[in-house]
Amino acid sequence: MAIERTLSIIKPDGVKRNLIGKILQRFEENGLKVAAMKLVHLSKKEAEGFYAVHRERPFFESLTTMMSSSPVVVQVLEGESAIAKNREIMGATNPANASEGTIRKDFAVSIEENTVHGSDAPETAAQEIAYFFSSTELVNAS
Ligand code: CMP
């Protein structure tokens, strides 16, 4: 198995409800390490740029308004199969379909306010990491 990096976001609903520590604990307990991290309040334009792949979807306006409504934590998680592992820890996009013990099952408010985001593939992970971090902001965490 290869060491990978993935982009993770703790969304406004997670930050507002003081869930940063509990969510980080899930990642750390499952062997993922933080390679970069910051708290940012995205502009509407930044949220639209990040979710550009969804711009034709009916939920795009609402999603990008929600993502720019208050601060988020953006972080790079590193570890073996980090992309798939992060998605497993997060659970399904819709909390109604998320498995027991996942972040979204335990904390998500709705399919939109689903508490965390995680890259879905190596190409998107590389793009999403570069959207928020320069190479000098990343450490070798493993
Ligand atoms: P995320 O993993 O960040 O990727 C895209 C986001 O769009 C998703 O989590 C949800 O926040 C949101 N989303 C996906 N599907 C829907 C939907 N059917 N209705 C509203 N929001 C959605």
Side-chain angles (χ1 to χ4, degrees):
M1 283 191 290
I3 298 290
E4 294 176 336
R5 284 174 171 166
T6 189
L7 186 85
S8 163
I9 303 179
I10 304 178
K11 296 185 180 187
D13 70 272
V15 175
K16 273 189 294 197
R17 289 180 293 151
N18 276 358
L19 293 172
I20 295 172
K22 285 197 170 117
I23 291 169
L24 282 180
Q25 190 173 9
R26 304 269 177 122
F27 297 136
E28 293 187 328
E29 281 176 353
N30 283 283
L32 294 176
K33 291 186 173 290
V34 177
M37 175 180 274
K38 56 191 168 192
L39 184 70
V40 287
H41 190 154
L42 300 178
S43 67
K44 181 76 159 56
K45 286 263 171 295
E46 287 167 335
E48 288 170 359
F50 181 75
Y51 280 118
V53 66
H54 295 305
R55 63 184 166 276
E56 305 301 335
R57 309 291 283 273
F59 55 80
F60 182 70
E61 179 57 30
S62 169
L63 171 65
T64 53
T65 298
M66 179 277 285
M67 286 298 289
S68 56
S69 64
S70 64
V72 298
V73 173
V74 289
Q75 57 194 338
V76 176
L77 300 176
E78 184 177 300
E80 282 195 359
S81 304
I83 298 166
K85 189 177 278 185
N86 180 35
R87 292 178 72 75
E88 204 180 302
I89 298 164
M90 289 193 301
T93 303
N94 186 346
N97 302 327
S99 301
E100 294 295 327
T102 61
I103 291 171
R104 285 166 169 164
K105 177 73 175 182
D106 292 345
F107 301 126
V109 178
S110 65
I111 190 169
E112 180 172 282
E113 285 192 291
N114 60 357
T115 315
V116 280
H117 166 84
S119 309
D120 63 3
E123 302 71 36
T124 41
Q127 285 164 12
E128 291 181 358
I129 290 168
Y131 194 80
F132 288 111
F133 296 98
S134 64
S135 57
T136 55
E137 292 177 298
L138 295 162
V139 303
N140 280 317
S142 304

